[in-house]
């Protein structure tokens, strides 16, 4: 049996040199007893009569690239068995280089748990280290000095020291922990592996932290288990606001009831000022064009809602001035926004195809949208369609209403829920309104169906075929309504 004693405070090179010597000598994991210095007097401690076998080859060891960062992380763990686990993995990787890919393997699983624990501890250190300022000697002008106390689970001080040097490079600081310390003086970053004692310090910012925490504490969202899971008590005890927590938890229920009682009170004064400022703004001047061409020209400069800021242009309706049928969609898409015409993209092609199959000529229809600007979200080079909200539909309703007044259609076909809402102000299920003519003001009829883009989004091929057939049947119903006229349609729908 061979025994190796390591300092074991996060130094990867220390373990690597020992492991390389054993591996090159072909020593199996079962033959090594890994220990900490203090238990042994030298790097290699042998029982009486034992000898280190002569090296069987080169000291260089070829391992998968993923093993090095894994070992560098695990070596910072505080568990004594980490050394033997890493050597066992190293030995087995010589037989199977794909070993680390098998997450169910006991050694790999244990290694991943250790890695996760060290990374979590490192995150906690960057999140919860709290510096306290040290006063300078009277009459001395120098850089500000700070000290922090932290209690990590593992040997991560050397691992994270460079992070704090980059983050707080403009001040001198010391981070003291039971597992080592780090120091930055503006020029040199130094680390020590000696355990430090907790300093008894406070500064004027402690009271600021208490005030801040007391004001952001929300009793209505109190989750004690989540608090203790994310921030164990050993971190809380070193933070000045921690002494407020028991009282805040104890009074949480009473504060929630108090907040509920105040829920219907008047808003803050600044809300009234905002409302007054909004009301003092002049109302937008709406055009008074009395022709479709004039209305289209006026719509080019529409700024009634923020959608005009990102869209390429206003996409107005097109078709005969005195069309008997008006088709209303949701909004222009990417193709329509670039072309400046409605229903010319993929959904428009489906629309044209079904019109041809049902014997309706597009040239006889007035085609438009409830919203005249393209609403989208940029994802790389693509512009992904976003549904307009109720406020945007309501602001754009003025243009749609003027189109209806000027065209005077006898039948309006609403394609999709947005178009139905723009025309009726109803938020009913589309399926409840679909496929049956409904009377509107002015002696005209409304017919509701789906938007062609809906058909393109159906993933199941069989269902897509069925929905395409339903849409054809809807458009056949529209053709029959065009033939019988609104009066007969009203009788049929009654």
């Amino acid at each position: 049996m061979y025994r190796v004693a390591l300092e074991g405070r996060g130094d990867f090179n220390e373990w690597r040199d020992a492991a390389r010597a054993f591996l090159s000598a072909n020593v199996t994991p079962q033959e090594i007893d890994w220990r900490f210095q203090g238990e042994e007097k030298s790097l290699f401690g042998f029982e009486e009569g034992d000898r280190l076998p002569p090296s069987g080859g080169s000291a260089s060891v070829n391992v998968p690239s993923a093993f090095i960062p894994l070992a560098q992380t695990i070596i910072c763990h505080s568990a004594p068995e980490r050394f033997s686990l890493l050597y066992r993995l190293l030995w087995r990787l010589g037989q199977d280089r794909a070993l680390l890919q098998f997450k169910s393997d006991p050694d790999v699983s244990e290694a991943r748990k250790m890695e996760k624990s060290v990374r979590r501890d490192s995150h906690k250190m960057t999140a919860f280290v709290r510096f306290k300022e040290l006063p300078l000697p009277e009459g001395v002008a120098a850089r500000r000095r700070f000290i922090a106390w932290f209690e990590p689970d593992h040997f991560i001080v050397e691992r994270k020291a460079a992070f704090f040097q980059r983050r707080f490079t403009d001040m001198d600081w010391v981070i003291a922990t039971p597992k080592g310390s780090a120091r930055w003086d503006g020029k040199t970053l130094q680390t020590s592996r000696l355990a430090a004692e907790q300093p008894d310090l406070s500064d004027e910012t402690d009271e600021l932290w208490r005030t801040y925490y007391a004001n952001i504490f929300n009793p209505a969202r109190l989750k004690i288990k989540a608090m203790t899971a994310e921030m164990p008590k050993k971190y809380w005890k070193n933070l000045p606001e921690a002494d407020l927590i028991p009282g805040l938890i104890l009074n949480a229920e009473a504060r929630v009831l108090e907040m509920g009682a105040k829920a219907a009170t008047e808003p803050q004064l600044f809300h009234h000022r905002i409302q007054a400022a909004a009301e003092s703004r002049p109302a937008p001047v709406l055009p008074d064009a009395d022709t479709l061409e004039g209305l289209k020209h006026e719509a080019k400069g529409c700024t009634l809602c923020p959608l005009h800021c990102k869209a390429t242009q206003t996409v107005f309706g097109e078709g005969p001035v005195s069309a008997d049928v008006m088709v209303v969609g949701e909004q222009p898409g990417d193709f329509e926004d670039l072309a400046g015409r409605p229903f010319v993209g993929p959904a428009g092609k489906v629309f044209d195809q079904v019109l041809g199959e049902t014997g309706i000529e597009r040239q006889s229809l007035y085609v438009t949208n409830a919203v005249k600007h393209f609403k989208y979200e940029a994802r790389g080079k693509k512009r992904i369609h976003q549904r307009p909200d109720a406020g945007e539909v309501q602001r754009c309703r003025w243009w749609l209403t003027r189109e209806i007044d000027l065209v005077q259609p006898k039948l309006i076909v609403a394609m999709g829920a947005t178009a139905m809402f723009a025309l009726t102000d109803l938020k009913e299920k589309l399926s409840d309104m679909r496929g049956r003519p409904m009377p509107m003001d002015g002696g005209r009829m409304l017919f509701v169906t789906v938007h062609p883009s809906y058909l393109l989004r159906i993933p199941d091929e069989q269902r897509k075929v069925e929905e395409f057939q339903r849409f054809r049947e809807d458009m056949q119903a529209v053709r029959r309504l065009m033939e019988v006229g609104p009066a007969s349609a009203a009788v049929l729908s009654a």
Side-chain angles (χ1 to χ4, degrees), residues 291-354:
T291 65
L292 275 178
E293 280 302 317
L295 195 66
K296 181 177 181 179
H297 178 74
E298 294 286 354
K300 290 181 180 179
C302 177
T303 59
L304 292 177
C305 75
L307 295 185
H308 76 278
C309 299
K310 294 173 62 177
T312 305
Q313 59 188 314
T314 303
V315 180
F316 206 71
E318 65 177 18
V321 176
S322 58
D324 287 338
V325 181
M326 175 182 287
V327 177
V328 182
E330 179 191 78
Q331 66 161 350
D334 185 55
F335 285 86
E336 290 80 3
D337 176 67
L338 297 174
R341 296 181 57 213
F343 283 86
V344 294
K349 288 180 171 58
V350 172
F351 178 58
D352 290 342
Q353 174 189 334
V354 175

Side-chain angles (χ1 to χ4, degrees), residues 272-283:
H272 294 296
R273 293 198 297 269
I274 292 175
Q275 294 297 324
E279 292 174 0
S280 65
R281 293 177 59 187

Side-chain angles (χ1 to χ4, degrees), residues 154-377:
H154 307 298
F155 300 100
I156 60 171
V157 175
E158 292 185 16
R159 180 183 178 89
K160 300 306 299 181
F163 166 86
F164 289 96
Q165 184 264 320
R166 293 191 301 269
R167 179 67 63 88
F168 302 104
T169 190
D170 61 337
M171 66 188 200
D172 296 347
W173 51 260
V174 172
I175 301 177
T177 84
K179 288 181 166 58
S181 303
R183 177 177 180 270
W184 169 250
D185 61 4
K187 296 180 180 178
T188 307
L189 178 64
Q190 298 175 317
T191 58
S192 169
R193 297 176 183 175
L194 300 177
E197 294 185 2
Q198 182 175 5
D200 183 15
L201 293 172
S202 62
D203 63 9
E204 59 185 11
T205 62
D206 287 355
E207 193 58 35
L208 292 177
W209 278 110
R210 292 188 183 94
T211 302
Y212 170 73
Y213 189 80
N215 281 276
I216 66 168
F217 181 81
N218 186 350
R221 302 184 66 182
L222 176 62
K223 295 181 180 179
I224 298 177
K225 288 185 178 180
M227 289 173 62
T228 54
E230 287 300 316
M231 196 170 187
K233 291 182 179 179
K234 71 172 187 175
Y235 299 131
W236 280 113
K237 69 181 182 182
N238 296 318
L239 301 178
E241 61 268 28
D243 53 8
L244 300 177
I245 295 175
L248 292 172
I249 293 175
L250 182 64
N251 297 323
E253 185 176 357
R255 289 190 61 191
V256 170
L257 295 175
E258 182 182 354
M259 290 166 62
K262 294 181 178 180
T265 58
E266 287 294 318
Q268 297 291 332
L269 290 177
F270 72 86
H271 288 151
H272 294 296
R273 293 198 297 269
I274 292 175
Q275 294 297 324
E279 292 174 0
S280 65
R281 293 177 59 187
V285 178
L286 297 174
D288 56 359
D290 55 2
T291 65
L292 275 178
E293 280 302 317
L295 195 66
K296 181 177 181 179
H297 178 74
E298 294 286 354
K300 290 181 180 179
C302 177
T303 59
L304 292 177
C305 75
L307 295 185
H308 76 278
C309 299
K310 294 173 62 177
T312 305
Q313 59 188 314
T314 303
V315 180
F316 206 71
E318 65 177 18
V321 176
S322 58
D324 287 338
V325 181
M326 175 182 287
V327 177
V328 182
E330 179 191 78
Q331 66 161 350
D334 185 55
F335 285 86
E336 290 80 3
D337 176 67
L338 297 174
R341 296 181 57 213
F343 283 86
V344 294
K349 288 180 171 58
V350 172
F351 178 58
D352 290 342
Q353 174 189 334
V354 175
L355 286 181
E357 292 172 356
T358 53
I360 301 175
E361 294 184 2
R362 174 163 174 165
Q363 291 78 7
S364 66
L365 308 177
Y366 185 86
V367 183
T368 189
N369 283 298
V371 175
K372 310 302 185 189
H373 286 114
F374 180 33
K375 182 178 182 179
Y376 64 90
E377 176 185 0

